[in-house]
Amino acid sequence: GSVPGVAEVGETIDYTFDVTNTGTVTLGSISVTDPIVSPITCPSGNPIPSLAPGASEQCTGTYTLVQADVDAAQRVNTATATGSSPGGSDDVTDTDSDTVSLPQSAELAIIKTGAFNDESQDGLAQPGETIGYTFEVSNTGNVTLSNVSVTDPLVPAITCPSGNPIPSLAVGASETCTGSYTIDQADIDTGTVDNTATGDSDETTP
């Protein structure tokens, strides 16, 4: 679902295009274009049939966000208006650019699960037996995460399907990593093994 206050793929930017004849002669067939906004709708049509000196017309259009926009935290684009002077002898053109900021929320979640492996199958823990761990890391924010690392002070080798660190984790995607810890007598005497895993990325805090 949509998260209030952050930009997400599929949400939109509404644009207005104020077209003004700043010259001294009437202009005709004024087209309003934007490489990322289509269609652009004007009250009298696009192209605008005629615009007298000093007159203005406000056109509108909508752009739908893609992930690259959210990752960039902004959307920059330039609109162009082109009209014809009387007799069509000369075209007049003007451009204007706009930058819309797109709020980001980089978030990473990790769920760790451990299971004792009774390699001797005697129902008891012995030194040298292991605990197998899974580490599910998920991108729960709105930006693509890069260099997602999974670490654990007791598990020296944590393996992820695409490597550790994970090069890239898309919005909504998850990856399950694995590792194991070999127990010793001190762990058995304590009766439990308690340790904490950490997920981190270039875009998030651990």
Side-chain angles (χ1 to χ4, degrees), residues 15-143:
Y15 287 103
T16 59
F17 307 84
D18 288 313
V19 183
T20 303
N21 183 348
T22 58
T24 58
V25 297
T26 298
L27 298 176
S29 191
I30 303 147
S31 63
V32 185
T33 60
D34 187 307
I36 67 167
V37 183
S38 181
I40 295 174
T41 304
C42 307
S44 61
N46 188 2
I48 300 166
S50 179
L51 205 58
S56 297
E57 193 158 313
Q58 188 175 83
C59 308
T60 58
T62 300
Y63 171 71
T64 301
L65 297 178
V66 298
Q67 189 60 52
D69 301 323
V70 181
D71 290 346
Q74 62 180 12
R75 178 70 250 194
V76 182
N77 66 305
T78 301
T80 302
T82 302
S84 298
S85 60
S89 57
D90 293 302
D91 283 347
V92 290
T93 299
D94 191 32
T95 61
D96 191 42
S97 298
D98 184 72
T99 300
V100 176
S101 296
L102 302 172
Q104 293 181 325
S105 176
E107 297 180 18
L108 177 66
I110 183 168
I111 298 174
K112 173 183 170 182
T113 305
F116 168 61
N117 297 313
D118 185 13
E119 281 94 351
S120 66
Q121 297 185 352
D122 63 358
L124 300 173
Q126 280 123 6
E129 293 184 319
T130 60
I131 298 172
Y133 289 105
T134 61
F135 309 84
E136 184 184 36
V137 287
S138 302
N139 183 343
T140 55
N142 75 329
V143 296

